[in-house]
Amino acid sequence: MGNRTSRPDRVVHPEEDAPSSDSEVRARRRLSTEAGSIPTPRDAGGIRASRGHRNMANNAGTRLHVLPTGEYMLEDEKAGCKQLSDSVVNWFTKRNRDTLQVCLAFVPWIVQQAYFDGGLDQEKIVVHRGSGALVFADTSGFTALTERLARRSNGAELLSDCLIAFFTPLINLINAYRGDVIKFSGDALTIYFPAVDDEAQGRPRHSKMRLPPHGSFGLPDLGPMATAVLRASACCIEIQKRLHMFNTNIDGVQLCLHIGIGCGQVTILHVGGVIPPETHVPRSEYLVAGPPLQQVSIAEPLAQNGEICLSPEAWDHVSNCVIEDTSRKLDVLGFRLLLRLDERQYTFPTIKFSAMENDRRHEKQFRLSELDVIRRYIPSPVFKQIQGGTLTYVNEMRQISTIFISGSGVDASTDKGACVAQELMASVQKVCYRNEGTLNKFVIDDKGMLLLLVFGLPPLVHTDDPTRAVLTCLETAQVFERLRLDGRFGVTTGRAYCGVCGSASRMEYTVLGDPVNLSARLMGNAPQDGILIDDATKQLLSRELYCVALPPIKVKGKEQPIAIFHPFKQPEPNQMGLSVDGQIIFPWYHRPLSMSQQLAETEEQSRDKSRVNVDQLFDLPNWEGVVNVQRLLGSPPDGSLNGTMSDTPVIDARTWRLPPGSPFANGGVLFLEGPTGTGKIEFAEYVASHAKEHLGMLPVVGSMGTRLSDLERLGVELLRSTLSVFRYLASSSNIEFPADDFQAAEHLLPNQYMIHMPVVQQAFQGRLNEEDSERALFTLVEVVVSLLDILRQQTSIFVIMLLEQGTSIFPKTLERFNCFWNVVSTLAAVATPAIGGNKKPIVLVVLSKEADRNSPAVMAAIDRGHFVQLPNLSTDVCLEYAAVYLQVPRHAVPQPLLEFVSRVSLGNPLYVRETIDQLVKNDHIRVWRDQQGQLKNLDCEDDLEDINIASWAQTAMVGTTACLLESLDPLESAVLKMSTVFQGSFTLPDLASSSCSRWAGATHFDYLRLFRAVQELVDRRIIQAVQTGSGQPCTAQLQAYEMRNMLIRKVGGAMVLEAQKKRVKRQALIDRALLRDLPARMEQLRVRRLEPHIPWYYESVLAKASY
């Protein structure tokens, strides 16, 4: 109890007073280096030290304490403490300093100053009000450059080099004149030159003489505003002199700048604060507003390449300091072109030197203790790459869907307008993050507020990103309607540069390229509250949406007119569940779970193919689904879904020989769990058809997913399919029944439930707000329960509920589906075994990828043996299924083909079908049949291993695998990509040789980080821990690993350049050689050094002396 070393004497809190002793001063100083940046197992950000800013994200798992002696103690979740050694603290300190040095470039000076002035408090939106000059500099030539480099394998590297070469001198000049780059708008810059009274601040401490603010002795002070405009003008003139017609050395492309300058009152806003799904850190944006924006929006287009245009307000301040360019007349009155400085009064060196001498911005610069504040403004994957020292890895050419949104109707520079901007930003963030997209930019221009959203940036990569982008626009349009703003939307899809733009002193993560520019053009041509998309996006949309073609339009930068479309959300099908003619219409007919099906098949084709899939799977006697059908129904599968079962007479459930304890006897709940594609859908379709034809059970169906914006759809489908059963029974008895579902519900519901009819009507019409969807879901389920209680007096009921998570990746997104399990619990209570009375059985079948083990219904089903897990097919069953799908005898299929399909598909039935479809489509296998359809011959390529599986991007197996790899943390992704290089087993030193080699100064902590990444991949079964080639278990230090998953190897290997593969192999071979030979050689050297050294000229003397 009294051991002071086992528990810390104090915990460091941000509210503590300054330490009094020298040891505490040192401790507090060292502690500040730890704030918010030591890694924890789930996030590269790490252990949260107790000191930091007020809004720092909380981590209850670990706490960092400091003792009066200045030592550190780390307290874990179980209150156990461990002292951190100096080597640990020094390692983290160095790593955090390196991280801070790069992170500072992502935040402008004015935001850092606002933080220290108390302007970044959570409740504040306006963080700065001041005056100064505003510059907008647009670059011409980057679009042409990006288009040329997009076709090259090393295009991202070349474009990154060009960006650095161009922006480094540009930003250095801006900083030298005390300018502040507020925003990168693609390849354009918004620069703020604040009006600062240098005379009032006094002489800087480091300066030996007092310089006038404008730098010229003997001339009167111009005043803060005029000095700011003069500095902006001088800076822009020097930029044009140095960088006009900048040669990129890429196919003759040159870069040019045209610049606009304005001045006046400037407002800086700090908006956002919503947490993205991939991190725990809130994401915020800063933006500039005020009259100067309107001025530069007019001045910049008036300037041609190589020119500078000043607004009338700016010209009034410097008209006596500069020379006007009168070579051409401008169309707008009062705007002037700038030629040069009046060098009789002011020169570049004096203005620049004075600005640098009076620059005190470093006094309010973020320190290590504010590292978590900086994270608000940096995308999470970019921050993690910075921490790993691999920032250049974020620069790449990739396929993305881009959204430009324009909002007008409010002046954001006012207090009221700032609140609207905050509400808009937060609302758009919620919609964007709910669909797992990225909000990349929020700026204000002369047209209003402008937002840039991107879908397809890692780790938020999905096979249906174009669909997600358009759905986001449709949902965001409702936000604009609620805020009474005018919105315009443009969506495009294509290959673009995604990476860092800027220099080491100021940069941002952005997207550049033709698709990005085209998205902005479509936004500009969109009608009020309208959405325009391009043809590339339209071709990749799922069946959730349909498009109406509009007349092609001409846009800037395109010679030919552009085809444009207006997207609409597909209305829900008229029928759901049981049709009047006895057919069962399942929800997945309307929304196939595979993107390749959605793009290539109609709804009728999907229905027919689904039935064929059922028949083929149930032709496999050893499939887990068939085994469970026999266990639950007491009969082997017979007939098919294409008509043979409908001829079987209906037998009452109580006379059918059902196994004891089967839920189909007296009612109950059955759960089917398994990954997408393992046969849950086929199992449910077969059992539903069997229950209808043999047991007289009528189906009720409902599904939730794959989108989060329509949670109430589950209740709507359950209610409509319940009403369909009433309609079917009425039709069978020749009783009139309302064709309209709403009227039918009014006709059937007891009086006490009529209060719910307004919600039912809104749900049927699709007019519910997103925030009301969950509440409406439970209301609809309550109505369904009341109708089921009426219905079970007439017939047995078979209820199917499907939870489809779709392509969503992160748990934070999927948490919103938790209401599904509340609905399951409600219906499970209704489906309890019916004993006595006139109530017929109700069977509830729940399909999900992963069931909620904490649900009482799930736990009860497990205890009763009513929980079915459908794993991937075994090797033998997979080979048999491949032959069945090809519709050939198994002996006719070449064994190499069967083995290839088994290894690529991993035994997933959906993947088996996709693999065979792609092999046939690309002529890797060929099947010849005679006129009667009998097999004549089947052959395949000799070397199937060389097939580029990664090119099958629209298949579920490749798309899902690619999304999985993109969602990994940077270090885990690097480990996985390196592991695809090794054909056999590899060890931790093999991986470390390319990133943190022991021979290149790597520390124990570098190895720990690498080991943690490897272990995470092992836990997720992406790579496997194996034994050595001799069959003996490896020691802990030399544990071997292997990449056995062929699908991941193929897809992951395609993400690695050939040069990178060679480097990894070379470094691993060098490391192995050093590990094998170097210790022995070092020992030889050590022994030699112990021997006394005798110069040669003494050897003869000593030899004679020995005689």
Side-chain angles (χ1 to χ4, degrees), residues 271-277 281-285 376 421-440 442 451 453 472 476 479:
V271 295
V274 180
I275 301 176
V281 180
R283 186 80 168 86
S284 299
E285 282 284 333
R376 301 180 193 176
Q422 164 60 22
E423 178 65 21
L424 176 64
M425 174 67 175
S427 300
V428 174
Q429 278 185 309
K430 291 175 184 177
V431 173
C432 180
Y433 297 158
R434 187 166 60 238
N435 289 297
E436 292 194 340
T438 302
L439 200 157
N440 185 258
F442 186 15
L451 298 105
L453 282 63
T472 297
T476 306
V479 172

Side-chain angles (χ1 to χ4, degrees), residues 575-892:
Q575 286 188 324
M576 182 61 65
L578 190 63
S579 64
V580 177
D581 60 358
Q583 296 292 319
I584 303 177
I585 302 173
F586 294 98
W588 45 85
Y589 291 164
H590 181 61
R591 297 184 179 183
L593 305 183
S594 167
M595 273 302 298
S596 58
Q597 287 179 300
Q598 295 216 31
L599 295 174
E601 300 173 0
T602 64
E603 185 171 340
E604 291 73 19
Q605 290 173 330
S606 296
R607 183 183 308 178
D608 295 340
K609 193 168 185 177
S610 180
R611 291 174 174 174
V612 172
N613 293 340
V614 175
D615 295 342
Q616 291 178 336
L617 271 174
F618 277 88
D619 277 344
L620 307 175
N622 296 320
W623 179 48
E624 192 73 22
V626 173
V627 174
N628 279 284
V629 164
Q630 291 182 262
R631 180 175 65 85
L632 295 168
L633 297 178
S635 172
D638 57 344
S640 72
L641 300 188
N642 292 319
T644 59
M645 292 182 63
S646 61
D647 300 329
T648 307
V650 175
I651 302 175
D652 186 78
R654 289 178 173 82
T655 62
W656 180 267
R657 293 190 301 265
L658 291 168
S662 171
F664 295 90
N666 297 310
V669 185
L670 174 65
F671 287 90
L672 294 180
E673 180 186 80
T676 301
T678 52
K680 300 188 300 295
I681 296 296
E682 290 78 5
F683 186 100
E685 282 196 42
Y686 184 90
V687 173
S689 298
H690 181 95
K692 173 182 176 293
E693 302 298 340
H694 291 281
L695 306 179
M697 289 186 165
L698 300 184
V700 172
V701 297
S703 62
M704 179 177 286
T706 57
R707 310 302 174 198
L708 296 172
S709 58
D710 57 353
L711 298 178
E712 78 282 356
R713 196 186 78 243
L714 171 62
V716 171
E717 291 179 356
L718 287 172
L719 180 53
R720 279 188 159 159
S721 58
T722 302
L723 296 172
S724 295
V725 174
F726 279 103
R727 190 174 290 111
Y728 173 79
L729 293 174
S731 175
S732 302
S733 303
N734 294 322
I735 299 175
E736 290 189 7
F737 194 83
D740 180 74
D741 284 337
F742 181 73
Q743 294 177 2
E746 282 187 315
H747 174 71
L748 291 170
L749 275 177
N751 290 332
Q752 62 266 33
Y753 292 99
M754 297 304 293
I755 193 176
H756 299 317
M757 290 310 295
V759 175
V760 173
Q761 186 175 27
Q762 286 183 320
F764 280 175
Q765 295 174 352
R767 294 190 291 107
L768 283 170
N769 295 325
E770 189 273 331
E771 56 268 19
D772 298 328
S773 61
E774 188 170 335
R775 184 166 58 251
L777 169 63
F778 296 125
T779 299
L780 292 167
V781 171
E782 186 179 348
V783 172
V784 169
V785 169
S786 68
L787 292 178
L788 290 178
D789 196 50
I790 299 172
L791 191 60
R792 71 188 305 181
Q793 306 292 333
Q794 307 175 52
T795 182
S796 302
I797 307 166
F798 185 87
V799 182
I800 298 178
M801 290 176 58
L802 168 67
L803 174 59
E804 177 52 44
Q805 298 175 350
T807 57
S808 296
I809 301 170
F810 290 92
K812 192 179 297 183
T813 306
L814 300 176
E815 283 176 359
R816 292 205 42 149
F817 288 136
N818 290 344
C819 59
F820 176 86
W821 299 105
N822 296 330
V823 177
V824 169
S825 297
T826 301
L827 293 181
V830 179
T832 53
I835 302 176
N838 297 323
K839 292 185 176 181
K840 306 278 186 174
I842 294 180
V843 178
L844 173 63
V845 178
V846 181
L847 317 179
S848 65
K849 182 177 181 180
E850 186 175 355
D852 181 8
R853 294 300 199 277
N854 296 321
S855 170
V858 175
M859 292 187 287
I862 293 174
D863 293 338
R864 295 176 182 145
H866 298 166
F867 190 91
V868 177
Q869 290 180 302
L870 292 180
N872 290 333
L873 306 179
S874 66
T875 303
D876 290 339
V877 177
C878 180
L879 301 181
E880 185 179 353
Y881 182 53
V884 169
Y885 188 72
L886 281 167
Q887 300 179 5
V888 298
R890 177 171 174 175
H891 63 79

Side-chain angles (χ1 to χ4, degrees), residues 378-641:
I378 305 175
S380 176
V382 176
F383 182 82
K384 292 178 180 179
Q385 295 282 16
I386 294 172
Q387 282 191 312
T390 54
L391 181 59
T392 55
Y393 288 6
V394 304
N395 302 330
E396 54 187 339
M397 296 286 185
R398 63 165 51 244
Q399 185 87 356
I400 59 173
S401 293
T402 307
I403 307 173
F404 262 102
I405 304 174
S406 173
S408 58
V410 66
D411 182 4
S413 62
T414 64
D415 290 338
K416 182 179 179 181
C419 293
V420 174
Q422 164 60 22
E423 178 65 21
L424 176 64
M425 174 67 175
S427 300
V428 174
Q429 278 185 309
K430 291 175 184 177
V431 173
C432 180
Y433 297 158
R434 187 166 60 238
N435 289 297
E436 292 194 340
T438 302
L439 200 157
N440 185 258
K441 290 282 186 297
F442 186 15
V443 298
I444 296 178
D445 61 10
D446 61 308
K447 301 178 184 63
M449 294 170 286
L450 192 70
L451 298 105
L452 172 60
L453 282 63
V454 186
F455 285 79
L457 295 179
L460 303 171
V461 180
H462 316 85
T463 55
D464 58 346
D465 276 321
T467 299
R468 289 173 176 266
V470 175
L471 289 173
T472 297
C473 289
L474 293 171
E475 295 175 40
T476 306
Q478 298 177 3
V479 172
F480 277 79
E481 182 180 357
R482 173 169 57 85
L483 296 177
R484 298 181 180 179
L485 299 175
D486 299 331
R488 290 174 171 81
F489 305 81
V491 187
T492 57
T493 300
R495 191 169 173 82
Y497 171 81
C498 310
V500 171
C501 180
S503 70
S505 59
R506 184 71 177 93
M507 67 181 83
E508 281 187 7
Y509 183 78
T510 190
V511 291
L512 298 172
D514 182 63
V516 182
N517 293 340
L518 181 58
S519 176
R521 308 289 184 230
L522 295 186
M523 175 201 69
N525 284 273
Q528 182 176 322
D529 301 324
I531 304 170
L532 296 183
I533 68 174
D534 67 339
D535 184 64
T537 303
K538 183 247 183 187
Q539 296 298 330
L540 296 174
L541 293 182
S542 69
R543 289 214 299 265
E544 299 169 73
L545 301 158
Y546 72 96
C547 295
V548 174
L550 300 176
I553 59 173
K554 284 282 293 181
V555 298
K556 180 181 177 181
K558 296 289 183 181
E559 295 181 0
Q560 300 298 324
I562 299 297
I564 58 173
F565 305 86
H566 192 297
F568 295 92
K569 201 167 185 178
Q570 196 76 251
E572 295 297 324
N574 294 326
Q575 286 188 324
M576 182 61 65
L578 190 63
S579 64
V580 177
D581 60 358
Q583 296 292 319
I584 303 177
I585 302 173
F586 294 98
W588 45 85
Y589 291 164
H590 181 61
R591 297 184 179 183
L593 305 183
S594 167
M595 273 302 298
S596 58
Q597 287 179 300
Q598 295 216 31
L599 295 174
E601 300 173 0
T602 64
E603 185 171 340
E604 291 73 19
Q605 290 173 330
S606 296
R607 183 183 308 178
D608 295 340
K609 193 168 185 177
S610 180
R611 291 174 174 174
V612 172
N613 293 340
V614 175
D615 295 342
Q616 291 178 336
L617 271 174
F618 277 88
D619 277 344
L620 307 175
N622 296 320
W623 179 48
E624 192 73 22
V626 173
V627 174
N628 279 284
V629 164
Q630 291 182 262
R631 180 175 65 85
L632 295 168
L633 297 178
S635 172
D638 57 344
S640 72
L641 300 188

Side-chain angles (χ1 to χ4, degrees), residues 253-299:
V253 176
Q254 293 180 321
L255 304 181
C256 305
L257 285 160
H258 44 108
I259 304 173
I261 302 178
C263 70
Q265 295 297 313
V266 173
T267 303
I268 305 293
L269 307 182
H270 180 266
V271 295
V274 180
I275 301 176
E278 76 276 13
T279 182
H280 63 273
V281 180
R283 186 80 168 86
S284 299
E285 282 284 333
Y286 44 83
L287 56 153
V288 59
L293 279 175
Q294 179 73 24
Q295 299 170 27
V296 298
S297 67
I298 300 173

Side-chain angles (χ1 to χ4, degrees), residues 112-164:
Q112 300 182 53
Q113 176 184 332
Y115 170 78
F116 288 102
D117 292 341
L120 291 188
D121 289 342
Q122 191 171 10
E123 63 276 7
K124 287 190 176 181
I125 300 173
V126 177
V127 299
H128 171 79
R129 290 193 189 275
S131 59
L134 199 68
V135 174
F136 188 78
D138 194 11
T139 308
S140 301
F142 268 118
T143 300
L145 183 64
T146 306
E147 288 179 346
R148 285 168 170 78
L149 294 180
R151 296 187 289 267
R152 300 191 186 184
S153 60
N154 62 338
E157 293 91 336
L158 292 175
L159 183 56
S160 177
D161 292 341
C162 289
L163 289 171
I164 294 173

Side-chain angles (χ1 to χ4, degrees), residues 235-260:
C235 177
C236 294
I237 293 172
E238 189 168 358
I239 287 173
Q240 294 288 26
K241 286 181 176 293
R242 294 195 181 190
L243 296 176
H244 181 55
M245 302 300 290
F246 180 85
N247 188 6
T248 63
N249 296 317
I250 303 292
D251 297 342
V253 176
Q254 293 180 321
L255 304 181
C256 305
L257 285 160
H258 44 108
I259 304 173

